[in-house]
Amino acid sequence: MDSTNQSGGAPTESHPPQLALVAAPAAQSLALAAIPESTASHVGASSSATEPARQPRPPAAPTLQEALRWSVEARGDDTGPRTLAPMSAEDRQFLLDAMAHLQGDTDGLAKAIAALSDPHTPVDRLQALLDGLEEVAEDTDGAMGLANTGGLDALVGLAAHANPGVQARALRLLAAASQNNPPVQHRLETLDALTAILPALHERAAEEVRLAALSAVSCLVRGHDGLARRLLAAPATPALLRAAVAGPPRLTARALYLVRCLLPQSRDFAALLFVPDLFDTLFTVLVPDAADEIWEQALASLALCPRTLVSAAHSTKLAEATRARRGALAVRTDAPSTHAALLTTVEAILLAPRPAASV
């Protein structure tokens, strides 16, 4: 994801923290309850040991991840007998500091989300806040934290922001948060996020916005049948997909990857995707010297296309395109190893002689 800060200046407040954050109050209560003033569980020691094993030193600036890692290391081998020993003042202070950091981080996230939701927040501040939330959205638990604290609502609202930098950042965060995360996908479905995202695919939008929007759509609908059906039922989807396929090479490859991912989800998706107009657009980009990634995604998608959806005219065009591609690959020393197999598969499925019509 693009983490470049385009704000033109440092934000006045600290960036939102990484989302260890979300369950901080509960974690704090549990952790403090487990720290008696003079005694705590310490690492496993062998039965012959006369003293508790020496503990790893805690990190100097504790975060939640560091606190958990330190506690695991301190626990040691869990298979032998364990010994109780007094907790050192240093160790106790470390855990107290870590819990204090958690509370501060939670407050920081709440302030960040409030600023993202405020229409009066300056553009450079919005960009800085969105940059600071990247690692939060990329973490599964962090994404759930955004879902539980109004962060996803704020991002959906920014998906149509007038500033392309803000809009693209918000869309990339929606992509990161929803990827392989069903609870976040469900939450975005209730927010009708697709309706907010799809207009950003329009060919008049900036390329970075279209790329981010296509990533957001792809991550949102992959593996989620309900959202995929909503996408394919949206009146604007066919035109937007055609425009994406016919767009700049990076956009074409990403649009074809989305098609490739949708096809295995449901049998009826192929009929919704492989309409004649999309075939016509596809053949405009499947030129012999098109980028390898475009050919790979297109061939993999076509290999999943039922023969009944390919007209005789399109079969002829496809035969010409695959023949030309084979010729282009024959003179290359760096031809992708997967292409020959994909070409053969597509030709076998879609270009085999058609059965004669019954009389």
Side-chain angles (χ1 to χ4, degrees):
M1 295 178 59
D2 178 14
S3 60
T4 305
N5 185 344
Q6 301 175 7
S7 64
T12 55
E13 300 174 20
S14 61
H15 284 186
Q18 298 159 348
L19 206 104
L21 321 178
V22 194
Q28 185 175 26
S29 299
L30 288 172
L32 290 176
I35 311 174
E37 188 67 38
S38 60
T39 306
S41 291
H42 264 224
V43 330
S46 68
S47 57
S48 61
T50 57
E51 296 180 357
R54 184 175 181 80
Q55 301 303 301
R57 292 182 63 81
T63 64
L64 177 62
Q65 288 85 352
E66 289 169 338
L68 292 174
R69 187 183 308 115
W70 172 77
S71 66
V72 170
E73 291 174 354
R75 187 174 181 178
D77 181 6
D78 217 15
T79 60
R82 299 175 64 188
T83 305
L84 292 177
M87 176 177 279
S88 70
E90 179 186 16
D91 289 353
R92 178 178 172 78
Q93 188 59 48
F94 162 72
L95 288 177
L96 291 172
D97 288 346
M99 295 305 104
H101 275 288
L102 287 181
Q103 185 60 56
D105 285 352
T106 306
D107 295 342
L109 181 66
K111 290 178 181 178
I113 291 172
L116 291 175
S117 305
D118 184 349
H120 303 295
T121 302
V123 166
D124 60 346
R125 176 70 178 135
L126 288 174
Q127 291 181 342
L129 288 167
L130 292 168
D131 286 339
L133 286 173
E134 276 193 13
E135 292 187 26
V136 175
E138 290 169 354
D139 177 78
T140 302
D141 293 331
M144 282 303 302
L146 289 175
N148 294 332
T149 54
L152 295 181
D153 306 56
L155 294 176
V156 170
L158 293 174
H161 197 277
N163 180 273
V166 171
Q167 187 179 17
R169 284 170 168 81
L171 290 165
R172 285 195 291 268
L173 289 178
L174 286 171
S178 59
Q179 182 167 250
N180 302 319
N181 197 332
V184 170
Q185 289 173 306
H186 290 317
R187 173 60 181 158
L188 289 172
E189 183 179 23
T190 65
L191 293 174
D192 197 17
L194 279 175
T195 299
I197 296 169
L198 284 175
L201 281 172
H202 198 283
E203 56 191 325
R204 289 195 298 268
E207 183 177 348
E208 72 163 331
V209 171
R210 296 177 75 191
L211 283 167
L214 197 50
S215 289
V217 170
S218 181
C219 291
L220 192 58
V221 305
R222 288 201 313 266
H224 193 291
D225 192 61
L227 283 166
R229 291 185 181 281
R230 282 196 181 195
L231 170 66
L232 295 176
T237 294
L240 292 173
L241 268 180
R242 288 197 303 274
V245 169
R250 286 195 302 162
L251 196 65
T252 299
R254 201 165 290 182
L256 291 172
Y257 177 70
L258 172 58
V259 171
R260 174 184 180 178
C261 291
L262 284 173
L263 288 171
Q265 287 187 215
S266 176
R267 289 182 177 182
D268 56 351
F269 285 178
L272 295 170
L273 286 165
F274 283 112
V275 294
D277 284 352
L278 183 59
F279 270 119
D280 291 337
T281 303
L282 192 57
F283 291 128
T284 67
V285 299
L286 287 183
V287 294
D289 59 349
D292 291 341
E293 185 179 5
I294 290 175
W295 267 99
E296 180 167 347
Q297 301 300 342
L299 290 171
S301 298
L302 289 168
L304 297 168
C305 176
R307 172 68 183 278
T308 54
L309 297 179
V310 185
S311 67
H314 286 141
S315 289
T316 300
K317 289 183 179 180
L318 183 57
E320 294 171 354
T322 56
R323 190 181 309 116
R325 179 61 173 176
R326 284 189 182 278
L329 293 176
V331 297
R332 287 176 52 181
T333 58
D334 62 341
S337 58
T338 56
H339 276 35
L342 283 170
L343 284 165
T344 300
T345 299
V346 169
E347 291 164 348
I349 294 174
L350 303 181
L351 302 181
R354 292 172 180 270
S358 58
V359 178

